[in-house]
Structure formats: structure tokens, C-alpha cells
Amino acid sequence: MRTVYPVFRYPDPRSAIDWLCSAFGFQAHAVHEAPDGSVAHAELVLDTGMIMLGGRADATPRLIHDDPQDYVAVPDVDAHCARARAAGAEITQEPFDTDYGSRDYAARDLDGNVWTFGTYRP
């Protein structure tokens, strides 16, 4: 059972859902709509992980200095990076090997959130 659920807020959550699924391989687990048809809350899964997301009124992108990073374990970093790049993700760090045996890369999503993907599974 999961115990940690990172939460993201996007100015256009429906577009964010589509993009996160296309670029990073998430799948929509649940999408709950508000009475006006907008996304009130959504849950996306990738392997055994889950994130939650919703909307935010401010359409200004997040500040990109000092971003927290979310780490997601994937089996094939190079293929994942290629998928993200093809979907328009800004690759902020190309795939590289770490001294602790992981292969990682980092990308920024359409709203400026930094994601790190790697093979390390603690």
C-alpha cells in the first residue's frame, strides 16, 4: 500500500494529465470533475507509484530556481528520456550513471516542475 502521494497543482489540470501521461508514461487512475466540468482532483499512477493533482487559479508558471524534485523509478532511463523529449519535456540533465549504480536523468514538465527519473529503487 502506498503511503506517500506527491501533490501537484496546474493551471490547466486536464492538459497536465494528458501531458504527464504522454511524456512520462503515467496513467489516469481517477479523474474527479467539479460541477463546472473542470478537474477537481486526479490521481495518476506509474508502476506502483501515484501522484495526485488538481488545479490552481494562478496561470503563472512556478519559479524554477530552488525547485523541489520528485524522483520516479523507471526500468529504462534512456527510453523514458526519449519519450519525454519527444513529448516536449525540457531535459534539464541528460541520462548519466551515478556512483551508486543508478542511471538517472531530469526533466521539467509543462508547468516548471522538475522530475528526476532513475533506475535506483531504495
Side-chain angles (χ1 to χ4, degrees):
M1 176 170 284
R2 300 172 188 97
T3 59
V4 177
Y5 303 86
V7 178
F8 297 86
R9 299 281 177 210
Y10 293 93
D12 183 350
R14 196 165 308 278
S15 291
I17 291 166
D18 292 343
W19 192 89
L20 290 166
C21 291
S22 173
F24 293 161
F26 281 96
Q27 295 179 332
H29 175 74
V31 178
H32 303 280
E33 293 185 350
D36 67 0
S38 65
V39 174
H41 173 79
E43 299 163 1
L44 305 182
V45 295
L46 180 65
D47 194 14
T48 60
M50 178 181 282
I51 64 168
M52 297 188 291
L53 65 91
R56 76 165 193 268
D58 182 7
T60 305
R62 295 171 11 88
L63 295 175
I64 59 174
H65 66 291
D66 249 5
D67 276 331
Q69 292 190 20
D70 293 284
Y71 181 86
V72 179
V74 296
D76 185 337
V77 164
D78 295 284
H80 195 275
C81 181
R83 175 186 183 150
R85 186 186 320 276
E90 174 192 350
I91 306 304
T92 60
Q93 190 166 28
E94 293 292 334
F96 66 98
D97 295 319
T98 70
D99 58 357
Y100 51 89
S102 184
R103 182 149 177 84
D104 296 354
Y105 86 96
R108 193 176 307 283
D109 71 16
L110 73 167
D111 197 45
N113 298 299
V114 176
W115 297 74
T116 300
F117 297 92
T119 57
Y120 180 70
R121 291 181 182 253

